[in-house]
Amino acid sequence: MNQAAESIPPVPGRSAGSRATPVGDTFFHGLTAVAAVLVLAIIAGIAVSLILGSAPALAEFGPGFLVSDVWNPVTNNFGAYVAIFGTLVTSAIAMVIAVPVSFGVALFISELAPAWLKRPISVAIELLAAVPSIIYGMWGLFVLAPVMADTIQPWLKTIFGDIPLLGVLVQGPPIGIGVFTAGVILAIMVIPFIASVMRDTFEVVPKVLKESAYATGATTWEVVRHIVLPYTRTGVVGGIMLGLGRALGETMAVTFVIGNSHNIHAGLFHPGNSIAATLANEFTEATGEIYTSALLALGLILFGITLIVLIAARLLLMRLQAGEGR
Amino acid sequence: MKPRLTNPTLIAASAALLAGGAVTANAKVDAIDGAGATFPYPVYSKWAQAYKDEKGVKLNYQAIGSGGGIKQIKAKTVDFGASDAPLKQKELEKAGLMQFPAVMGGVVPVVNAPGVAKGDLTLDGKTFAKIYLGKIKKWNAPAIQKLNPDVDLPDKKITVVHRSDGSGTTWIFTSYLSKVSDAWKNGPGHAKSVAWPAGVGGKGNQGVASYVNRIKGSIGYVEYAYALQNDMAWVQMKNKAGGTVQPNIESFQSAASHADWKNAPGFYMVLTNEPGKESWPITAASYILMHKEQADPQVAQAVLKFYNWSYKQGDEMAKNLDYVPLPSGLIKQIRAKWESQLQGEDGSSVWPPK
C-alpha cells in the first residue's frame, strides 16, 4: 500500500522547491518518527517475551514440537501439530470461500450495481465487519451448526462422498461442529474486510482508463481483467492478506464451533483445534512450567505464521511490480 | 487484636505509621478478594450479597477457574484462592498453604439421545469409561443395552462431549473414570485437562451443556446445577455398592457422609466412587486455599468470618442453588484447623476472632 502514499500529489499552493522547515515541521517529523519506531519496539517486545516464555518448552521438545500431534497435560507432553494444522486448514477454507465471494461483492458494488443499490450493500458490508467475533461464535453455534448438521453436511456427503480425494474431505460425523464449520464462520467474518478493501481500491481506478477501454469495444469482464485488476493489484492482495491475518488469529468464534479436540483427522467434519482456540481454552488453567511454556510456544508459532504470510505477500507484490514494466 | 506496646520495634513502626499519617493497624476490613473455581461461583456470590447486606463486608470473587485460583493465591494477589481440585498435603506445605472445603456439588452425565428421557438411562462406571475412551461407539451397543433392558436405544452414533478448558469439573470426572477403569487410568489419566481420546470439547459447563443440547446422540458431563438449570436429560449411575442412584442433594450428601474426613491430611478428599448404596459416585467438594502465615491477620479473619457465617447461615441459599452444605461434623473439624494452622506473622492464631 506504499504506492498509494507515494502517488499522493504534492499539496497545492506549496511548491516542492521551498525547503523552509519551521520548528513545527521538525517537531511533527520527530513525533511521527517516534510513533513509527514505537510500533517496531512493541513488536520486538512481543517477540522477545514469546521467545523467552516458550524457551523451556522448545528446549524440552526441540523441533519435534512442530510435528508432534500429542497434547497431553497429564504427562506434560506437548506438540503443536494439531493446532497448526487446524489453524492453517480453517484459514484455507475461509480463503477459498471468502476471496471469490468478496471479489464478486466488490466488483458488483463498484462496477455493476445500479446507483441506488450501492449504498445499502456497502453499508451492510461495513455492518458485517463491525459485528464482534463472539457474536459470530454464538450465531455459529446456535444457528449455523444445526443447519450444517441437518442439511449442509449430509448433502455434501452425498455429493462428494464417493469421489476420490474429495470424499476424504467430507469424512467425519455430520454434527455441525468441527473444522469445516469453523472455516465457514471465518469466511463470513473476513468477507467484509476483503470486500471493503477491494471495493475501495476498485473505486480509485481512474474513470478515463475504463472509459477508453469501453470505447475500444471491451466487455465489462475485459475491463475488469485488463484495466481494473492490474491497476488495483496491491490493494486486492492487501485486502486478502488483511482477511487472512484475521482468519489465522481469530479466537472466540473458532472456539465456539471447532470442537476443541486435540485429535487429527483428514475429514473436515471432524472436530479439531486451532492455535488461538487452544490458547483461549487452556491458558487460565495451565498449571506447571512446561504446560504454560508450550502454550506460549504456540503463540510464538502463530506469530511466526503471520510473519511468513506477510513476507510472502510482500514478495508476491514485488514480483507483480517487477512484471509491470513490460 | 490489641498490639502490646512493649516491643520497641513495634513502637517505632507505629510511630512511623502515625507520622506518615497512615493508620492502618486497626482499620476495619471492608472488602476481601478471592479468585478461582467457576463451579461454586453462583453460591459464593449469593452468600456474598447476603453477607454484605448483613455485615457490610464486601466479597470480590473472580471466577477464573481452579488453576487460576491456585496460581493467584500462590502469587498472593488475592486473600483466598478457590479450587475444585484439592491440593495434596505435600504441595500445600511447599507453598505454605492450608485448605478447607467450602461447599459440595456433583458432576452429572447428561445425554441427548432420541427417545431417552431424563433419568431413563442407567450407566455404570466401566461402560461410561468405555464410551469416553471411544470404544463404545453406538447407543444400542450391547453393553449399554444390557444395563437398560427396558429402554429402546437408538441405532445412532455417540458423540462424546468434554470440557475444552482445564477445569475442576474435569478433574473430578477423570478421577472417577480412573477409579472405575484401568484403561482410563493408564490412558488419558486424571487431571484438570487430559488428552481426550474422542469427541468434541466445549468451553465451560455452559459450553458442554450447549454442545450436548446441539448435537443429537451426544453425551457430556456438567455440574449438577447446570444440568438442572438447562433441564437436561441426565443419566442415573450404578455406584460402587451396586445401587442405582439419581443425582440429587441426598445422594451427594450420602457420598460425603461416607468419606473419612478425619484421616484426610489437609482435607485432601476426592468424593468419587465412595461406598454406600445411596451415594452418587461423582460427588465433589470445592475448596478454599489460604496462606498459613498471614501478613494481615485482620484480612484473614474477615475471610474466615465470611465462611463461618456461610456455614451457619448459608445452607438454605446453597440448597436453593442446588449445592450441598457440608456435614456439621466436618465444619467442626474445619474450625479446629483454622485455629491450629492460620497465624499472623507474630505467631498468634487468627481464629477465633478475639
Side-chain angles (χ1 to χ4, degrees):
Chain A
M1 269 167 257
N2 280 342
Q3 289 77 2
E6 281 156 15
S7 63
I8 289 172
V11 182
R14 193 143 182 248
S15 75
S18 85
R19 301 291 302 159
T21 48
V23 183
D25 267 13
T26 321
F27 179 70
F28 188 68
H29 178 264
L31 211 62
T32 50
V34 167
V37 172
L38 196 64
V39 171
L40 287 180
I42 291 170
I43 291 197
I46 293 172
V48 167
S49 60
L50 280 177
I51 290 168
L52 289 181
S54 56
L58 296 179
E60 169 100 14
F61 305 114
F65 184 70
L66 288 172
V67 291
S68 158
D69 64 353
V70 181
W71 188 269
N72 193 336
V74 180
T75 55
N76 260 331
N77 188 4
F78 300 102
Y81 183 62
V82 175
I84 296 174
F85 181 81
T87 305
L88 295 180
V89 170
T90 49
S91 300
I93 295 171
M95 287 298 118
V96 165
I97 300 172
V99 170
V101 173
S102 309
F103 184 71
V105 171
L107 212 58
F108 182 75
I109 296 175
S110 67
E111 307 294 326
L112 304 168
W116 60 270
L117 200 57
K118 280 188 186 186
R119 285 297 300 163
I121 297 184
S122 298
V123 170
I125 292 271
E126 272 144 28
L127 271 179
L128 270 182
V131 174
S133 63
I134 190 134
I135 307 286
Y136 278 107
M138 287 163 66
W139 177 81
L141 181 58
F142 291 111
V143 181
L144 185 64
V147 176
M148 281 281 178
D150 297 336
T151 316
I152 300 178
Q153 288 181 345
W155 180 69
L156 287 174
K157 267 178 182 285
T158 52
I159 294 182
F160 297 115
D162 298 329
I163 304 172
L165 291 177
L166 282 177
V168 177
L169 293 182
V170 295
Q171 274 177 9
I175 54 175
I177 288 161
V179 173
F180 181 69
T181 309
V184 172
I185 286 276
L186 283 177
I188 297 169
M189 290 177 73
V190 300
I191 282 172
F193 284 84
I194 305 180
S196 57
V197 173
M198 281 186 178
R199 180 206 58 194
D200 288 348
T201 52
F202 287 169
E203 279 179 352
V204 299
V205 176
K207 275 222 157 50
V208 61
L209 282 182
K210 288 193 272 183
E211 278 161 8
S212 25
Y214 281 121
T216 62
T219 62
T220 309
W221 168 246
E222 283 166 340
V223 169
V224 169
R225 173 75 191 80
H226 297 291
I227 308 291
V228 176
L229 270 185
Y231 195 86
T232 57
R233 226 163 9 210
T234 322
V236 168
V237 174
I240 294 174
M241 287 306 140
L242 191 68
L244 181 55
R246 178 151 198 212
L248 285 170
E250 176 47 45
T251 308
M252 283 328 293
V254 173
T255 306
F256 267 75
V257 295
I258 199 169
N260 303 300
S261 151
H262 283 288
N263 293 312
I264 206 145
H265 304 277
L268 298 178
F269 295 172
H270 282 287
N273 223 331
S274 80
I275 293 178
T278 305
L279 293 178
N281 273 316
E282 300 184 24
F283 214 88
T284 46
E285 293 279 352
T287 38
E289 193 196 22
I290 290 293
Y291 194 176
T292 317
S293 176
L295 287 171
L296 281 164
L298 281 187
L300 182 66
I301 291 168
L302 185 57
F303 195 77
I305 292 175
T306 322
L307 204 66
I308 291 169
V309 165
L310 288 178
I311 292 172
R314 277 276 123 209
L315 290 175
L316 181 68
L317 284 175
M318 274 160 63
R319 274 193 57 187
L320 289 176
Q321 278 158 12
E324 264 165 15
R326 283 179 299 153
Chain B
M1 59 171 248
K2 282 182 198 155
R4 270 159 283 149
L5 295 180
T6 46
N7 185 333
T9 51
L10 194 66
I11 295 170
S14 325
L17 278 173
L18 285 167
V23 189
T24 51
N26 269 323
K28 192 179 172 300
V29 178
D30 53 9
I32 43 181
D33 299 322
T38 50
F39 152 61
Y41 174 63
V43 68
Y44 288 176
S45 55
K46 185 113 183 186
W47 284 345
Q49 199 158 19
Y51 191 67
K52 186 168 180 272
D53 290 346
E54 202 178 310
K55 307 275 179 187
V57 178
K58 197 178 165 214
L59 168 75
N60 302 313
Y61 183 74
Q62 306 292 329
I64 56 172
S66 298
I70 294 170
K71 264 189 213 168
Q72 296 301 328
I73 187 66
K74 279 184 179 167
K76 297 195 179 176
T77 53
V78 286
D79 303 325
F80 68 89
S83 170
D84 293 340
L87 293 183
K88 291 222 165 95
Q89 179 72 5
K90 235 186 197 165
E91 206 182 335
L92 285 173
E93 271 164 21
K94 206 174 129 203
L97 293 170
M98 67 90 67
Q99 73 187 353
F100 57 90
V103 70
M104 296 189 308
V107 178
V108 176
V110 287
V111 291
N112 173 1
V116 178
K118 184 184 284 185
D120 258 9
L121 199 72
T122 310
L123 287 177
D124 60 10
K126 280 214 156 39
T127 314
F128 200 20
K130 273 185 193 152
I131 292 174
Y132 265 81
L133 283 166
K135 288 198 178 126
I136 295 179
K137 290 183 194 297
K138 283 205 158 178
W139 281 107
N140 59 356
I144 305 179
Q145 194 70 70
K146 206 175 138 199
L147 287 163
N148 299 278
D150 303 329
V151 183
D152 185 21
L153 290 163
D155 179 20
K156 202 163 169 59
K157 214 175 157 302
I158 300 177
T159 302
V160 169
V161 183
H162 52 74
R163 286 283 287 268
S164 61
D165 47 341
S167 86
T169 314
T170 296
W171 192 89
I172 294 154
F173 181 67
T174 53
S175 142
Y176 172 64
L177 293 185
S178 296
K179 280 182 187 173
V180 294
S181 157
D182 284 338
W184 187 273
K185 191 176 170 186
N186 302 324
H190 171 205
K192 284 199 215 82
S193 82
V194 300
W196 298 98
V200 301
K203 189 164 164 57
N205 273 302
Q206 201 54 59
V208 172
S210 59
Y211 271 18
V212 171
N213 279 333
R214 286 302 119 208
I215 303 170
K216 288 193 190 83
S218 60
I219 183 166
Y221 60 93
V222 292
E223 293 289 352
Y224 178 57
Y226 282 89
L228 278 187
Q229 281 153 22
N230 289 298
D231 196 26
M232 305 184 80
W234 63 52
V235 174
Q236 51 180 0
M237 296 291 296
K238 264 210 163 106
N239 62 21
K240 195 178 184 180
T244 304
V245 281
Q246 296 272 357
N248 52 39
I249 291 189
E250 290 74 40
S251 62
F252 299 155
Q253 257 169 346
S254 164
S257 66
H258 281 91
D260 181 13
W261 289 97
K262 281 206 176 102
N263 292 316
F267 291 119
Y268 182 92
M269 175 64 73
V270 189
L271 295 169
T272 51
N273 213 26
E274 286 293 322
K277 253 195 148 42
E278 308 299 322
S279 300
W280 180 252
I282 330 175
T283 306
S286 197
Y287 288 81
I288 298 299
L289 293 156
M290 289 175 76
H291 284 278
K292 281 185 180 171
E293 195 182 292
Q294 292 286 340
D296 190 344
Q298 303 239 343
V299 174
Q301 234 166 50
V303 174
L304 298 182
K305 274 183 190 164
F306 170 74
Y307 280 102
N308 194 44
W309 176 89
S310 304
Y311 291 148
K312 277 194 242 162
Q313 322 271 328
D315 285 11
E316 275 313 304
M317 276 180 264
K319 278 186 195 161
N320 284 340
L321 287 169
D322 312 310
Y323 294 87
V324 186
L326 301 179
S328 56
L330 176 58
I331 293 172
K332 263 189 210 136
Q333 292 173 42
I334 292 171
R335 289 203 189 100
K337 275 277 165 5
W338 287 351
E339 198 169 343
S340 66
Q341 294 205 320
L342 285 164
Q343 294 173 341
E345 277 171 338
D346 56 355
S348 65
S349 60
V350 170
W351 190 262
K354 284 171 196 117

